[in-house]
Amino acid sequence: MHSTRLKLRDISRAAAIVIALAAGVPGQAWAQSNATSTIFGEVSAPAGATVVLENLATGVQRSLTPDTSGRYVANSMPPGRYAVRVLRAGSVEASQEVEALIGAGAEANFGPASAAGPVGQEQTVVVKASRNPIDVSNTNNGVIFTAKELKALPVGNDVASIVQLTPGVARGTNSVYGNAPSIGGSGQSENAFYVNGFPITNLLTQVGASELPFGAISNLQVLSGGYGSEFGRSTGGVINITTKSGGNKVEFGGKVSIIPRSLKGTTENRYYPNTGANPETDGTLKYWNRDNGSTSKVVGLYGSGPLIKNKLFAFVALEQTRTDGGAVAGARDDLVDKVLPNGWRESKSKVDRMMAKLDYNLTDDHHFEYTKLYDRTTTDSQSYGFDYATLKRNNVPGGGSETTINCCGSSAAPGANVDIFKYTGYLTDNLTVTAMMGQSRTSHRRTPEGYNPLLAQTSSNESTQVPGLTYTNPQTVTGTLVDPSSEDRQKAKRLDLEYKLGKHSLRGGIDRIDVESKVGLSLAGGYRWKYQKVKDATLLINGAFETPAQGNGYGKDGYYVSKELNANLARPTSVQSAQYIQDHYQVTERVLLDLGLRREQFTNYSTDGVAFISQRNMIAPRVGATWDYLGDGTLKFFANGGRYHLPVPSNLSSNMASPFLATSEMFTYTGVDPVTGAPTGLHAISKPYSANNAYGQSRDAREVTAVGLKPLSQDEFSLGFERALSKKLVVGASFLYRKLNDTNDDTCDERPLQAWATRNGVDTGKWSGFQCAIINPGRDNSLMVDFDDGKGLRRVDISAAEWGNPLPSRTYRALNMFIEHPYTNGWYGKLTYTLSGLKGNMEGQTDSIGGGDVGLTVSDDHKELMYNAYGYLPGDHRHAFKAYGFMQVIPDVMVGANLSLTSGAPRNCIGALPDELKFENNYGDSYFYCNGKPAPRGSQGRLPWQAQLDMNVAYTPSAIKGLSLKVDVFNVFNSQTVTRYTETREDHGAISRNYLQVDGRTAPRSVRFTAEYTY
């Protein structure tokens, strides 16, 4: 098994890398980590000067000595507001305030001094200070949102809604993956999320992340490309969040928010489309949605302050959201207006979130912090009848009541219980060390109402029951349930060193993430008693060692019972580790090179602890550059390029390498327990038997993946500029190009293996068939296969031509432009426009057409699925306008707006293969063919443009300090635009009555009222 320790030799290796690359001459360089900021600048007269940075919230200070050219830089600073002071001979010579943001640089320059004051009196030195409107200290493509901006903007109180404000970000193409965003043309599982430097991405699927109380967010950074070598495990975007911290000022407050059902727009009904081929259904009602709705209420509390002034600080935020709603849960059944017993579903959900942070400054140079996150969603639901004749629900409970807790790795509510420990040490002006470790745990539960986990299921009917005996089935739940022990656990460790030497600012480090999951289904109650009867009790039943007549009780009459077990609980684990080095090299005063190299290792283990995916020594170079063209921070040119890798999520191993148990053990019996329904007086006539040899064992790990499987990787290149036309107006543009190199996907095509066996004289007469394996599509792949001929596993080499699948293709090109008015004169505004194209033959790890599990798309199951698959992908939105801002219209009133205008995605037509291409076990109506003719991907036109305007108004009465009353209106014009159609045209040779049915719309208008008070 793998080790879980961050070894001492790895730590020393990281330190050696940093020191070995340290070289250069005097100059300026800086670096930002994924959870901190940098403050830098220049003092015109450095001789005898000291620069002191004071955190205005905590009073913590850091002193620096400018170099001989007057430059200074402070790395790894916690985001916040700082007073930057120049001291000379113990007196303050000049001072200014800066706001340091996550992953960015804050510049504070101190120009030449001038004298003031009457002659003959002591003179006061006045220093001219300048602040640059553009950050020239990094090469990342990203946007940063502060707590102040998030409070002022009309935006949903979740991370995904904030991310949508960023250029190049689109809403996910498949609702199966929740509201997880697509960033820069990537799939919904290709993003990385961090809180205070700790990874919070959904452990099981890599889709989405756990959340924290909205008011606990201090900074949120969205990196949509060009991020340095310290970042990995993402080919989409990186979302960095830093939380608020306590300070010397005692503060507490709370908020109450409500989104009432009565003020929501009416949800559009769903009708059968007019296909022209189904007159009995065309244009008729399918789902009555007009009564769907919900009410959400949010209560939040927070408090912060010093436990020891200037030393120990605390911040705590608590938030609970309760949502009560109801919606139709069934379509008209066979076009008959009758009562659906489970046609209406009422739900009550409760989301509890907590964030607590302790900051301890042992000295000004040694900082410790602890962060606690808790995120848990509980949903109680109950089904009722719905009458399509009257279009009303009734009060008769159906059979669909249950409670779920963070169920099943859902991206909408993955949940978390997180502990993060971090140390930052400013060992010298030039050497900084940060160390972090943490762990998280997520539980998954699904419990139907009345479910007794200790009560087995029973199954019988009149023909299998002994006359005169009473058969009961008190277990109200049948089938399988999420196993009650399902959970995900993660341990993460990270060490970073920063060293400044002349023109070089070197940053190196190592990290490691260990993931353990328990996931799967098992029979409700643990097992099932299935009562059966045979006509001739003297004949041996398949799998039995005795006939029923040789048993006892009612066996002589042919009655027997089987104890059935069915479960596929997997315990997959994975290890993701990396080492990186980054050199921020200040070539000249105006030119900065960002040179990075990342080495990664991804290993996935089966339930038995055997590595079935081992991707080693993945080298990812990163190069970036910025050019402060005018030398005053008003015009910046930048460029970057690099390679990025993505690991395989744990859920893949739970599907491909999990044990499967499906056995029956037969007994004769003498009676039935009238309370539990279980048989009594048992006599075994068989051992546990499985027709499919499923006795709880896993597949041989060597059969699951291709030999030498390459990881999913992507290359990207970007360049751009930013120009401050004045302190009130900044413009910019950038171009981003991304190209997918390889991906991992499953194939289930047995034909190439059968052909190989035929060529090599292998007897496949006893072979049960191919159970799918993970390959690199479009490449030569070698599999280990056991053909059940007594010779065990053998290597089977299949060429790319024999598989027939094309190389994966996904290219994203985007031109992003913006114009921004920084917050001055009482208002802030930003307008962005993105012109982009997303084209290829696959979307990545996720698939909006086939849906299903991450990393197991339908696309490459066999070659015919990829015929005509090249074209504009579902995430392609050619034009996207985004505008947001806020204005202080009068001292007590602020208004805000958020506008999104996006062109529609391409449409497809899916159908059956032409007769000449059909083969045994093909996937029916699942191909890019319609009416027997090719229908290339994205060739069927476009969805309509999506337009949404959100607005708010906030009132902060000066008479009641600390009180804020706000109204947010989302989707002001209630434009419920179509976001998805049913694209399958054919149904067993006929035109489907559901072809081009509306499957998704933008959410109707809603109104949120919020009252907040801070003391």
Side-chain angles (χ1 to χ4, degrees), residues 84-407:
V84 183
R85 301 184 179 98
V86 176
L87 273 64
R88 202 181 305 272
S91 298
V92 176
E93 182 179 86
S95 176
Q96 64 172 285
E97 288 186 16
V98 297
E99 184 173 11
L101 304 179
I102 180 175
E107 187 170 2
N109 295 320
F110 298 88
S114 62
V119 176
Q121 297 183 9
E122 183 178 352
Q123 293 184 337
T124 302
V125 176
V126 179
V127 175
K128 299 176 183 178
S130 64
R131 303 178 189 175
N132 293 334
I134 293 176
D135 179 13
V136 297
S137 66
N138 70 71
T139 62
N140 295 330
N141 300 329
V143 180
I144 300 172
F145 300 96
T146 65
K148 180 180 178 180
E149 292 168 342
L150 296 178
K151 186 176 180 179
L153 291 170
V155 63
N157 286 354
D158 59 89
V159 171
S161 295
I162 302 170
V163 174
Q164 289 297 328
L165 299 174
T166 307
V169 175
R171 300 193 181 277
T173 57
N174 196 334
S175 60
V176 170
Y177 310 123
N179 61 354
S182 169
I183 301 178
S186 67
Q188 291 173 264
S189 67
E190 299 178 35
N191 306 312
F193 297 79
Y194 296 88
V195 167
N196 293 341
F198 182 85
I200 59 165
T201 312
N202 189 336
L203 300 181
L204 186 62
T205 64
Q206 295 176 183
V207 177
S210 54
E211 299 267 357
L212 67 163
F214 192 75
I217 298 174
S218 173
N219 285 188
L220 187 148
Q221 179 189 41
V222 182
L223 295 175
S224 53
Y227 32 92
S229 61
E230 69 173 315
F231 293 106
R233 309 178 183 99
S234 168
T235 49
V238 172
I239 294 87
N240 274 327
I241 301 170
T242 55
T243 64
K244 293 179 179 178
S245 298
N248 282 322
K249 184 180 179 181
V250 176
E251 293 186 10
F252 62 86
K255 75 170 184 179
V256 177
S257 179
I258 183 171
I259 303 177
R261 180 174 186 167
S262 59
L263 294 181
K264 287 189 174 182
T266 301
T267 305
E268 297 285 352
N269 289 331
R270 189 177 299 180
Y271 295 88
Y272 284 100
N274 288 304
T275 64
N278 298 277
E280 71 283 4
T281 59
D282 281 1
T284 62
L285 177 69
K286 184 172 184 180
Y287 285 95
W288 176 261
N289 294 327
R290 296 181 64 83
D291 292 328
N292 295 356
S294 63
T295 294
S296 295
K297 300 176 182 178
V298 181
V299 177
L301 295 171
Y302 81 91
S304 69
L307 303 180
I308 303 175
K309 188 175 182 180
N310 293 335
K311 284 287 185 182
L312 180 61
F313 312 94
F315 178 92
V316 178
L318 305 171
E319 184 179 274
Q320 184 179 91
T321 302
R322 289 181 177 269
T323 302
D324 297 341
V328 69
R332 291 172 67 203
D333 188 15
D334 297 327
L335 306 181
V336 178
D337 293 330
K338 62 182 181 181
V339 175
L340 302 181
N342 296 298
W344 183 266
R345 196 164 187 84
E346 293 281 341
S347 64
K348 297 179 182 293
S349 70
K350 182 179 69 171
V351 181
D352 293 310
R353 290 179 179 143
M354 183 269 284
M355 194 283 290
K357 191 164 187 284
L358 293 175
D359 290 88
Y360 176 57
N361 297 295
L362 179 64
T363 68
D364 286 345
D365 294 328
H366 299 279
H367 176 76
F368 298 86
E369 60 184 83
Y370 166 70
T371 306
K372 176 72 175 182
L373 299 175
Y374 181 79
D375 177 18
R376 173 181 165 122
T377 298
T378 304
T379 302
D380 294 312
S381 59
Q382 172 66 61
S383 293
Y384 294 91
F386 185 83
D387 190 344
Y388 264 98
T390 62
L391 299 177
K392 299 290 183 183
R393 58 153 286 185
N394 59 34
N395 294 315
V396 180
S401 178
E402 62 183 22
T403 298
T404 60
I405 300 175
N406 298 329
C407 187

Side-chain angles (χ1 to χ4, degrees), residues 697-720:
Q697 75 278 16
S698 301
R699 289 178 63 185
D700 191 310
R702 293 171 292 178
E703 293 183 279
V704 176
T705 57
V707 177
L709 186 74
K710 297 180 180 180
L712 187 153
S713 71
Q714 178 175 271
D715 291 335
E716 74 169 50
F717 169 77
S718 65
L719 56 85

